[in-house]
């Protein structure tokens, strides 16, 4: 089996992080698994608790940071430590229900030209999450915001963006791999320098996917699955909204506004 590593970047909710870690340890028997938990300066005491927690497994390394350096930089913090074949980028609200990591890593490495993949993610109630996406464009992102209220052409565009107009029950190429659960060839991840540190939050996963696509193909692998609680807060904070706009501007300046090829 391939050598695997994984990283969770946490900012809060000690119990949720612990549940994610324990699900990974329970369902991943690989003795050489390297699981990193980076506490991103949690303001709620989560980091202190994590640093004091003994998970009873030497495969876990907790790395507390003094401040929140952002999602991408948090994951890049372990970049120089990686010696695996495949590295997993995981949200703290992910729960495994089976030995997904080893099998998915083997599948990724066995597919010629494949560099990154994501499994099928579901809500805790079993409902499907529409996370595989095409390359973002300003129109598709606008349609995504307006579709729930206006429907019509906006709903059609959003369905196209989230690939609901395709058969997603079989493996297929995608252009936007969700940052909540990424499997990436470690050599590729290190070659491209990980996440672009210029992003603090928002669309850094879309940016990473575009960088990976310069090295190989990116896949939805629906034969593998996991639970994703997806704590998506409503965009009511003006600061967060501004940060999102800045990140989107950076993304489109870097990758253009044109559509992809999938």
């Amino acid at each position: 089996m391939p050598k695997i590593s994984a990283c969770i970047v946490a900012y809060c909710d000690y119990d949720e992080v612990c549940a994610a870690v324990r699900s990974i340890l329970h369902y991943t028997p690989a003795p050489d698994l390297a699981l990193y938990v980076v506490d991103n300066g949690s303001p709620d005491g989560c980091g202190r608790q994590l640093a004091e927690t003994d998970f009873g497994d030497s495969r876990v390394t907790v790395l507390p940071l003094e401040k929140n350096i952002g999602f991408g930089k948090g994951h890049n913090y372990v970049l120089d430590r990686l010696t695996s074949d495949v590295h997993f980028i995981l949200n703290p609200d992910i729960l495994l229900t089976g030995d997904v990591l080893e099998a998915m890593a083997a599948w990724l490495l066995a597919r010629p030209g494949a560099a990154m993949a994501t499994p099928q993610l579901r809500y805790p109630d079993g409902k499907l999450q529409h996370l595989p996406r095409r390359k973002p464009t300003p129109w598709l992102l606008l349609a995504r915001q307006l579709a729930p209220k206006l429907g019509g052409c906006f709903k059609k565009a959003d369905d196209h963006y989230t690939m609901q107009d395709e058969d997603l029950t079989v493996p297929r190429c995608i252009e936007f791999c969700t940052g909540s659960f990424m499997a990436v060839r470690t050599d590729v991840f290190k070659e491209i320098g990980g996440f672009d540190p210029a992003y603090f939050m928002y669309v850094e996963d879309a940016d990473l996917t575009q960088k990976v696509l310069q090295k190989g193909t990116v896949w939805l692998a629906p034969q593998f699955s996991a639970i994703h609680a997806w704590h998506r807060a409503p965009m009511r904070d003006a600061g967060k909204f501004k940060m999102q706009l800045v990140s989107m501007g950076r993304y489109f300046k870097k990758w253009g506004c044109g559509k992809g090829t999938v």
Side-chain angles (χ1 to χ4, degrees), residues 68-132:
N68 184 356
I69 60 175
F71 178 86
K73 281 187 178 180
H75 278 285
N76 287 353
Y77 194 72
V78 306
L79 199 60
D80 292 339
R81 296 171 177 258
L82 303 182
T83 60
S84 56
D85 299 307
V86 175
H87 180 63
F88 287 85
I89 295 160
L90 304 171
N91 266 15
D93 56 0
I94 289 288
L95 287 175
L96 301 189
T97 57
D99 185 6
V100 173
L101 302 190
E102 288 186 284
M104 191 170 174
W107 180 88
L108 179 66
L109 294 175
R111 184 167 289 269
M116 178 187 277
T118 189
Q120 178 60 69
L121 297 179
R122 295 181 179 274
Y123 292 100
D125 64 2
K127 185 179 178 182
L128 199 68
Q129 293 185 10
H130 302 296
L131 290 176

Side-chain angles (χ1 to χ4, degrees), residues 12-21 91-95 229-231:
C12 58
D13 202 333
Y14 170 79
D15 291 336
E16 182 175 72
V17 177
C18 287
V21 170
N91 266 15
D93 56 0
I94 289 288
L95 287 175
W230 203 5
H231 300 314

Side-chain angles (χ1 to χ4, degrees), residues 6-249:
C7 181
I8 293 173
V9 172
Y11 183 64
C12 58
D13 202 333
Y14 170 79
D15 291 336
E16 182 175 72
V17 177
C18 287
V21 170
R22 291 187 172 116
S23 78
I24 294 168
L25 297 176
H26 178 73
Y27 287 110
T28 311
D32 57 356
L33 165 70
L35 174 57
Y36 300 98
V37 182
V38 177
D39 173 66
N40 225 351
S42 299
D44 65 349
C46 175
R48 176 185 55 77
Q49 289 178 282
L50 285 172
E52 296 173 354
T53 299
D54 180 6
F55 288 98
D57 196 314
S58 61
R59 298 178 295 172
V60 182
T61 301
V62 177
L63 301 168
L65 303 181
E66 292 185 358
K67 64 178 182 179
N68 184 356
I69 60 175
F71 178 86
K73 281 187 178 180
H75 278 285
N76 287 353
Y77 194 72
V78 306
L79 199 60
D80 292 339
R81 296 171 177 258
L82 303 182
T83 60
S84 56
D85 299 307
V86 175
H87 180 63
F88 287 85
I89 295 160
L90 304 171
N91 266 15
D93 56 0
I94 289 288
L95 287 175
L96 301 189
T97 57
D99 185 6
V100 173
L101 302 190
E102 288 186 284
M104 191 170 174
W107 180 88
L108 179 66
L109 294 175
R111 184 167 289 269
M116 178 187 277
T118 189
Q120 178 60 69
L121 297 179
R122 295 181 179 274
Y123 292 100
D125 64 2
K127 185 179 178 182
L128 199 68
Q129 293 185 10
H130 302 296
L131 290 176
R133 298 174 187 174
R134 290 184 163 91
K135 183 176 182 287
T137 67
W139 159 241
L140 291 176
L141 292 181
L142 175 64
R144 182 152 186 78
Q145 296 299 315
L146 298 179
K149 292 184 178 180
L150 301 180
C153 65
F154 301 108
K155 175 66 165 58
K156 184 176 180 180
D158 187 45
D159 286 349
H160 178 72
Y161 177 45
T162 56
M163 303 186 73
Q164 294 181 63
D165 53 359
E166 300 286 351
D167 179 7
L168 299 182
T169 64
V170 296
R172 64 168 299 115
C173 287
I174 60 176
E175 296 172 314
F176 184 162
C177 190
T178 173
S180 53
F181 197 129
M182 292 173 158
V184 59
R185 279 178 40 196
T186 307
D187 60 344
V188 171
F189 190 51
K190 298 185 82 166
E191 183 182 352
I192 63 177
F195 286 92
D196 183 340
Y199 296 90
F200 183 82
M201 189 166 59
Y202 303 117
V203 305
E204 61 272 83
D205 47 358
D207 180 272
L208 183 71
T209 306
Q210 292 304 309
K211 292 203 294 182
V212 171
L213 282 169
Q214 295 181 327
K215 304 297 180 180
T217 52
V218 176
W219 292 80
L220 166 70
Q223 67 271 39
F224 308 108
S225 65
I227 296 172
H228 178 212
W230 203 5
H231 300 314
R232 189 175 185 179
M235 189 58 64
R236 295 173 182 166
D237 186 301
K240 289 182 179 179
F241 180 66
K242 180 180 179 180
M243 187 185 300
Q244 186 179 46
L245 290 179
V246 170
S247 292
M248 289 167 56

